[in-house]
Amino acid sequence: MMTLPRIVAAETLDGLAEDDPAAMRSRHDLQRIHRLMRTRGIMARALQRLLASRPAGAPLRMLELGAGDGSLMLGVARALGSRWPAVEITLLDRQDLVTPATLDGYARLGWTASTQVIDVFDWASSHSPAVREPSARWDVIVASLFLHHFEGPALATLLAAIESRARRFLACEPRRARLALAGSHLVGAMGANAVTRQDAVISVHAGFRDQELSALWPGGRAFWAVSESPAGLFSHCFLAERSGLGGAGVPL
């Protein structure tokens, strides 16, 4: 069977206003899709492996890129439970979608959550001499269903910014495979609207497989341990950890 070529196209949701009814419905669809894909459990397990070398209860600074309404990582936080009570998380997105109720949900778990409303490439270009200092790096940067929006120079720019600012990185993306593509054509069966039905197919075509992200990662293998593998039925995960911090080489 021929390998599906990677094709990146603009998704409809990205061009809609925050308060567009179709966008609001599509974001609700995405929450249900994450439940079906078991994204929260996949990310929780990946974070546990990526941070296994850290002392229990040690403070943790986390950044989520393309955080949307913040509900996905809130679900991950709930899956991790009380084992991680001292987490400071910044939810970065170009749209202001995180509600006070969601921030309160983090607070009830002992997490301190804040938002940063900025385009990710403005974040990537805001270089400071301090970002390469170890004390200024994020303990972990995470991205879910985000990297697949980009290709070529844009993806290279984003990965370079992440590499310079993180001790660890986790990405959970659509898997570019026949089964995932078939599933993307069936999201209408769960009541998804036209925006979600179209974007689901586009996302799979733009997804990743094999060692594609590892090949694009700008960090040298002398400085980073990387791992990349399928996760669940429809997801593809990439983990990177600076050498000497533990070891991210355990496949999901």
Side-chain angles (χ1 to χ4, degrees):
M1 185 177 293
M2 293 180 63
T3 300
L4 291 170
R6 182 167 188 252
I7 302 172
V8 178
E11 296 183 16
T12 304
L13 180 59
D14 293 337
L16 298 179
E18 298 174 21
D19 58 353
D20 186 300
M24 296 169 67
R25 171 64 182 278
S26 185
R27 288 195 293 270
H28 180 68
D29 291 341
L30 287 174
Q31 293 179 8
R32 292 188 291 163
I33 289 172
H34 278 305
R35 287 195 291 270
L36 290 172
M37 293 177 65
R38 300 184 177 179
T39 309
R40 293 165 183 160
I42 290 170
M43 293 190 69
R45 290 190 296 274
L47 282 171
Q48 286 175 316
R49 293 174 181 177
L50 193 58
L51 292 153
S53 62
R54 288 180 60 82
L60 179 71
R61 293 179 65 246
M62 183 183 300
L63 171 69
E64 184 184 11
L65 300 177
D69 62 8
S71 62
L72 175 62
M73 279 306 300
L74 178 56
V76 173
R78 287 170 175 159
L80 293 170
S82 60
R83 290 165 292 180
W84 292 26
V87 179
E88 176 188 327
I89 184 168
T90 299
L91 305 165
L92 185 149
D93 199 274
R94 65 183 179 86
Q95 294 185 319
D96 187 8
L97 301 173
V98 181
T99 65
T102 298
L103 296 177
D104 289 344
Y106 283 102
R108 286 193 293 272
L109 296 168
W111 290 41
T112 301
S114 61
T115 61
Q116 185 175 5
V117 181
I118 185 175
D119 184 271
V120 71
F121 291 104
D122 291 334
W123 170 81
S125 64
S126 59
H127 288 297
S128 164
V131 299
R132 290 188 177 273
E133 294 297 324
S135 61
R137 293 178 183 137
W138 297 93
D139 293 309
V140 58
I141 295 178
V142 300
S144 178
L145 302 189
F146 187 64
L147 296 185
H148 73 278
H149 290 93
F150 312 108
E151 63 178 339
L155 182 55
T157 296
L158 181 54
L159 291 176
I162 294 169
E163 190 274 340
S164 70
R165 302 172 192 212
R167 298 172 183 267
R168 303 166 183 85
F169 176 56
L170 162 64
C172 185
E173 295 295 318
R175 187 191 311 167
R176 198 175 74 256
R178 300 287 177 180
L179 178 61
L181 184 60
S184 71
H185 282 283
L186 297 175
V187 297
M190 55 171 270
N193 71 355
V195 172
T196 307
R197 294 196 301 271
Q198 180 176 353
D199 286 354
V201 176
I202 292 173
S203 294
V204 173
H205 280 296
F208 299 96
R209 60 180 298 148
D210 302 325
Q211 301 298 303
E212 290 176 339
L213 285 170
S214 298
L216 296 172
W217 184 246
R221 294 302 178 267
F223 303 101
W224 288 87
V226 300
S227 176
E228 185 171 2
S229 61
L233 292 176
F234 308 116
S235 300
H236 183 83
C237 284
F238 172 78
L239 293 82
E241 183 174 23
R242 287 186 182 272
S243 298
L245 294 178
V250 181
L252 296 175

